[in-house]
Amino acid sequence: HVQLVESGGGSVQAGGSLSVSCTVSRRTYSTFCMGWFRQAPGKEREGIAVIDSRGGTAYADSATGRFTISQDNAKNTLYLQMNSLKPEDTAMYYCAANPFWTYGAICSYTRPADFGYWGQGTQVTVS
């Protein structure tokens, strides 16, 4: 069983930076795909970025150049560093895990159904 707990959300002015974290409690999975998603009120969930257990990353166009996904495997923690924030980045941010990902499989922010475990979310508000 995998449990995900996000933290670090908050309010920031446009142009500012914020980092959110996701602590993962899991059994030992040697390979995995982790991702960040967000959902604003009245909008569909949007994939932001993913990282696999080899450190490979991919970003949505909305995040490219501004957001950085990273992980600290020793701490079982996933991070999302967000810079140059815009009001349209305001949303609930969720981390998600696919602990059954294997090398050669797709690890993509466009495939939320692949992620079987989700955190409760952390609110990010940009004004």
Side-chain angles (χ1 to χ4, degrees), residues 8-49:
S11 298
V12 65
Q13 291 187 338
S17 298
L18 202 62
S19 179
V20 291
S21 303
C22 174
T23 301
V24 184
S25 76
R26 58 172 178 240
R27 296 179 181 175
T28 302
Y29 295 101
S30 59
T31 61
F32 53 85
C33 170
M34 300 288 296
W36 284 101
F37 297 79
R38 68 185 181 186
Q39 187 166 21
K43 295 187 177 180
E44 293 186 354
R45 181 173 52 191
E46 175 189 15
I48 298 299

Side-chain angles (χ1 to χ4, degrees), residues 4-100:
L4 310 175
V5 179
E6 300 96 337
S7 61
S11 298
V12 65
Q13 291 187 338
S17 298
L18 202 62
S19 179
V20 291
S21 303
C22 174
T23 301
V24 184
S25 76
R26 58 172 178 240
R27 296 179 181 175
T28 302
Y29 295 101
S30 59
T31 61
F32 53 85
C33 170
M34 300 288 296
W36 284 101
F37 297 79
R38 68 185 181 186
Q39 187 166 21
K43 295 187 177 180
E44 293 186 354
R45 181 173 52 191
E46 175 189 15
I48 298 299
V50 292
I51 186 167
D52 64 40
S53 47
R54 293 178 297 184
T57 59
Y59 296 88
D61 288 346
S62 59
T64 299
R66 299 189 301 128
F67 294 3
T68 301
I69 189 171
S70 62
Q71 60 193 358
D72 185 333
N73 291 333
K75 296 181 179 180
N76 285 343
T77 302
L78 180 73
Y79 303 97
L80 184 68
Q81 175 67 40
M82 300 179 287
N83 299 325
S84 301
L85 283 161
K86 307 173 183 179
E88 51 264 43
D89 294 317
T90 295
M92 187 72 79
Y93 282 70
Y94 299 91
C95 66
N98 175 7
F100 306 111

